[in-house]
């Protein structure tokens, strides 16, 4: 039905009319969100968003970029842009579109990334994001629809509201003494070094819409050619909130907005070559400050096939228990064994004795995110952490709990649990501080995720005092022996597979 309608429009002109303009194929055939009116957008009659959408869709089509475009929708009246554009779509939280666009472009540099925002979104809650994206010269295209008001939420004052303009939050008209002056985003961004292209256009008459068309196209061409950050501010009618007929609203753009926001190309320059955002590659020995010879030796020792593609570990406990340090040690071991690694700490202001945890990823591939939702292993160094994180462990995963038994009232988690009194064992060795190393030994012995030899190599580079080194060596061995003697032998294993 929808296809037929489209074909009719394009191929079968009726009543002597020739079709010169039809819906761009960059739009979906039907807009599913609308139950009954699936050929229409949700925008009010005369709204500038609809025109801006058309200009963008047509430019994408003409440049042949549909298959590699990702559109970042904002919050505001254009929040549903993803119902219209038949491209990759992401919807960002209020104000964050340029930050999302940055992340998408950096992870998928061959994609065309469009960030689209209104003035409340971009110039109020999102001021920081747009300024920094522009200042970094991100190779993305930003379309900024300035209608001088918050449209979606019913007409609150925006940073671009004119002096004297009434809004629900400036009922007497904007007064600079109280609400400040309108923000000129195009001018503001063009004071920065990095942007390639900054232009302000207006959707006020056909001539200016054609100018806007060229600006939209140019901003996309810039990104396609890798020249850097492009920003097009589009002065746009909002007949509904302004309380005007569509034609009058267009006239108001020309008569009231343009004098305050002059139309201009504020920046148009092509940098020689856009600098790469890929960080300089450093060798493992350089990062870890170990000699290349040592590194080669570790790699040789570690030249065993890791049994995983990704392995994720969460270490949790009190600050001061060596929670974060254990994570760092595991991460460094992973590096020495030639893996990609990440370490993400999380702790409150009361790091000493407050709760702390960290996420460790070991991977044979680049790591997408250092955040772990469902770790393969949880090392719970206290009861609070066990209760808090036990149910997050991935099915078939493992919990190492720093006590000799689980709390009686704990619902057994869906993971194998090994209770190991690591703190007591460390005490017996002469230092509670090596509790984390006892647990590390148990982890390595039980999971074989990394080699004990690598662990000792890392510990030796960290600890210079001979006595301390010795305690650490004993702690590592104690953790490993516990697994071998107490768990593997089965002395404390429960029939249901849980080891207490
Ligand atoms: C974090 C957050 N704060 C506030 C809101 C409420 N909100 C939704 S749209 C909007 C204003 C949008 O105005 P603008 O960006 O100018 O877009 P327009 O609707 O005019 O196109 C606000 C404040 C929200 N959704 N999220
Ligand atoms: S309220 Fe204004 S900005 Fe929102 S859809 Fe209607 S005319 Fe467009």
């Amino acid at each position: 039905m929808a296809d037929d309608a489209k074909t009719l429009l394009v191929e079968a002109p009726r009543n002597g009319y020739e079709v010169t303009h039809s819906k761009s194929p960059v739009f979906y055939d039907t807009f599913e969100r609308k139950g009954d009116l699936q050929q229409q957008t949700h925008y009010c009659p005369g709204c500038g968003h609809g025109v801006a959408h058309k200009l963008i869709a047509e430019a994408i089509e003409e440049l042949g970029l549909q298959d590699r475009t990702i559109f970042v929708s904002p919050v505001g009246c254009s929040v549903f842009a993803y119902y219209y554009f038949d491209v990759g779509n992401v919807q960002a939280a209020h104000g964050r579109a340029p930050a999302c666009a940055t992340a998408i472009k950096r992870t998928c540099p061959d994609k065309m990334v469009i960030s689209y925002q209104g003035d409340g979104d971009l110039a109020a809650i999102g001021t920081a994001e747009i300024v920094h994206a522009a200042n970094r010269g991100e190779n993305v295209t930003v379309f900024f629809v300035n209608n001088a008001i918050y449209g979606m939420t019913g007409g609150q004052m925006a940073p671009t509201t004119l002096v004297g303009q009434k809004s629900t939050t400036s009922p007497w008209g904007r007064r600079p003494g109280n609400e400040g002056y309108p923000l000129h985003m195009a001018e503001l961004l063009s004071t920065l070094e990095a942007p390639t292209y900054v232009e302000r256009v207006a959707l006020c008459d056909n001539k200016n819409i054609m100018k806007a068309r060229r600006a939209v196209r140019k901003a996309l061409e810039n990104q396609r050619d890798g020249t850097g950050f492009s920003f097009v501010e589009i002065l746009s009618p909002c007949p509904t909130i302004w309380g005007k007929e569509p034609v009058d609203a267009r006239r108001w753009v020309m008569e009231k907005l343009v004098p305050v926001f002059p139309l201009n190309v504020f920046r148009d320059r092509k940098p020689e070559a856009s600098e790469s955002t890929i960080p300089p590659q450093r060798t493992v020995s350089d990062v870890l400050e170990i000699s290349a010879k040592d590194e080669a030796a570790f790699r040789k020792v570690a030249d065993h096939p890791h049994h995983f593609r990704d392995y994720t570990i969460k270490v949790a406990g009190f600050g001061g228990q060596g929670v974060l340090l254990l994570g760092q040690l595991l991460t460094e071991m992973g590096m020495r064994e030639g893996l990609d690694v990440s370490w993400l700490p999380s702790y409150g202001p009361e790091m000493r004795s407050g709760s702390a945890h960290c996420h460790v990823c070991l991977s044979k591939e680049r790591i997408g995110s250092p955040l772990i939702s469902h770790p393969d292993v949880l090392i719970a160094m206290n009861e609070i952490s066990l209760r808090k994180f036990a149910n997050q462990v991935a099915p078939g995963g493992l919990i190492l709990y720093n006590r000799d038994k689980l709390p009686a009232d704990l619902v057994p988690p869906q993971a194998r649990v090994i209770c190991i009194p690591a703190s007591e064992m460390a005490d017996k060795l002469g230092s509670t501080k090596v509790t984390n190393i006892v647990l590390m030994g148990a982890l390595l012995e039980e999971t074989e995720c990394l080699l004990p030899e690598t662990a000792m190599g890392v510990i030796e580079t960290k600890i210079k005092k001979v006595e301390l080194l010795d305690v650490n060596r004993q702690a590592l061995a104690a953790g490993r022996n516990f697994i071998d003697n107490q768990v593997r032998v089965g002395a404390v294993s429960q029939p249901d597979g849980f080891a207490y």
Side-chain angles (χ1 to χ4, degrees):
M1 175 70 187
D3 281 351
D4 290 352
K6 204 168 174 183
T7 314
L8 272 178
L9 261 178
V10 177
E11 289 174 3
R14 289 179 178 176
N15 305 327
Y17 289 105
E18 190 184 336
V19 176
T20 55
H21 204 71
S22 57
K23 190 161 103 177
S24 166
V26 170
F27 288 125
Y28 288 114
D29 279 341
T30 52
F31 303 146
E32 294 299 328
R33 183 173 168 269
K34 288 265 184 172
D36 44 356
L37 302 170
Q38 298 204 342
Q39 299 295 325
Q40 296 183 13
T41 67
H42 69 291
Y43 296 117
C44 309
C47 174
H49 279 302
V51 180
H53 281 24
K54 274 192 198 169
L55 298 181
I56 294 169
E58 285 167 7
I60 292 172
E61 178 192 349
E62 284 164 20
L63 297 171
L65 298 170
Q66 183 172 8
D67 283 351
R68 60 185 186 107
T69 295
I70 299 177
F71 193 102
V72 185
S73 311
V75 169
C77 284
S78 47
V79 65
F80 294 134
Y82 51 82
Y83 280 111
Y84 307 134
F85 286 96
D86 186 3
V87 296
N89 284 289
V90 172
Q91 198 274 317
H94 208 27
R96 312 296 176 247
C100 290
T102 299
I104 296 167
K105 187 71 187 184
R106 287 191 179 205
T107 29
C108 310
D110 56 326
K111 300 286 182 246
M112 290 287 299
V113 183
I114 295 174
S115 176
Y116 183 105
Q117 293 174 280
D119 43 4
D121 190 291
L122 180 141
I125 194 168
T127 328
E129 281 77 3
I130 188 62
V131 169
H132 290 291
N135 195 41
R136 292 189 303 266
E138 298 294 343
N139 188 28
V140 298
T141 304
V142 177
F143 296 118
F144 169 44
V145 177
N146 177 1
N147 56 19
I149 204 84
Y150 285 17
M152 185 195 216
T153 41
Q156 294 84 358
M157 196 196 84
T160 49
T161 298
L162 303 183
V163 170
Q165 186 183 339
K166 289 185 179 167
S167 72
T168 57
T169 47
S170 57
W172 303 280
R174 183 176 192 161
R175 295 167 301 159
N178 201 45
E179 290 100 24
Y181 291 91
L183 260 187
H184 294 78
M185 289 309 299
E187 285 86 339
L188 199 148
L189 297 184
S190 57
T191 63
L192 304 171
E193 287 295 319
T196 298
Y197 175 54
V198 179
E199 178 164 3
R200 183 183 290 121
V201 294
L203 305 178
C204 51
D205 55 29
N206 290 350
K207 191 172 143 212
N208 276 289
I209 290 174
M210 285 303 108
K211 280 191 176 171
R213 191 171 201 271
R214 285 194 288 276
V216 165
R217 187 184 161 114
K218 186 178 171 93
L220 290 172
E221 283 171 341
N222 284 346
Q223 183 181 169
R224 180 200 60 193
D225 300 342
T227 56
F229 184 84
S230 294
F231 180 88
V232 181
E233 176 169 344
I234 304 171
L235 301 183
S236 172
C238 171
T240 302
I241 302 292
W242 295 352
K244 296 187 187 310
E245 292 296 321
V247 175
D248 293 337
R250 276 194 178 190
R251 197 172 300 126
W252 200 81
V253 172
M254 177 57 102
E255 290 173 359
K256 300 290 181 191
L257 284 187
V258 171
V260 177
F261 298 106
L263 307 184
N264 197 6
V265 178
F266 296 92
R267 172 74 58 83
D268 185 7
R269 65 177 183 208
K270 293 219 185 324
E272 294 280 300
S274 173
E275 263 184 49
S276 169
T277 54
I278 298 166
Q281 294 298 303
R282 293 169 67 198
T283 61
V284 171
S285 47
D286 184 22
V287 174
L288 299 179
E289 295 175 354
I290 54 176
S291 71
K293 198 171 139 223
D294 276 352
E295 186 196 336
F298 285 124
R299 286 210 189 219
K300 206 166 161 207
V301 170
D303 200 13
H304 75 296
H306 295 99
H307 60 73
F308 52 82
R309 198 189 65 172
D310 299 299
Y311 206 67
T312 54
I313 302 163
K314 187 163 189 161
V315 189
F318 290 129
Q321 279 187 309
V323 170
L324 305 186
L325 177 64
L326 176 52
Q328 283 174 330
L329 295 173
L330 292 169
T331 313
E332 185 166 334
M333 288 165 61
M335 281 174 87
R336 292 189 185 207
E337 295 194 10
L339 295 167
D340 277 20
V341 296
S342 67
W343 172 76
L344 183 74
S346 168
Y347 47 84
E350 70 294 33
M351 187 173 165
R352 290 245 155 251
S353 79
S355 287
H357 68 261
C358 65
H359 304 214
V360 175
C361 296
L362 308 169
S363 180
K364 287 182 182 164
E365 293 173 358
R366 279 182 76 186
I367 294 168
S369 166
L371 194 69
I372 305 170
S373 310
H374 300 292
D376 295 306
V377 179
L378 168 68
I379 301 181
M381 296 185 69
N382 62 15
E383 188 180 324
I384 295 175
S385 307
L386 177 78
R387 289 186 186 277
K388 195 164 169 193
F389 299 124
N391 287 328
Q392 293 179 2
V393 178
L398 170 71
I399 298 175
L400 290 175
Y401 177 44
N402 176 25
R403 288 292 285 273
D404 56 358
K405 59 177 185 300
L406 286 177
D409 64 334
L410 188 87
V411 180
Q414 295 296 308
R416 212 154 49 85
V417 183
I418 295 177
C419 294
I420 164 168
S423 294
E424 288 166 31
M425 291 161 68
D427 258 349
K428 281 187 192 143
L429 294 172
S431 171
T432 321
K433 281 187 185 161
V434 292
T435 302
N436 55 356
I437 304 298
V438 175
L439 286 162
M440 181 201 267
L443 171 79
L444 301 186
E445 195 64 18
E446 179 61 22
T447 67
E448 297 179 354
C449 60
L450 296 163
L451 290 174
E453 294 88 325
T454 320
M456 266 332 289
V458 172
I459 291 170
E460 275 163 18
T461 53
K462 303 268 171 230
I463 297 170
K464 299 294 169 213
K465 279 193 184 162
V466 181
E467 323 82 72
L468 270 183
L469 196 57
D470 206 42
V471 180
N472 274 274
R473 196 175 284 120
Q474 291 173 39
L476 193 71
R480 296 181 62 194
N481 290 340
F482 181 89
I483 297 296
D484 281 343
N485 301 332
Q486 308 287 314
V487 179
R488 291 234 171 107
V489 171
V492 288
S493 285
Q494 298 297 305
D496 59 3
F498 293 96
Y500 290 88

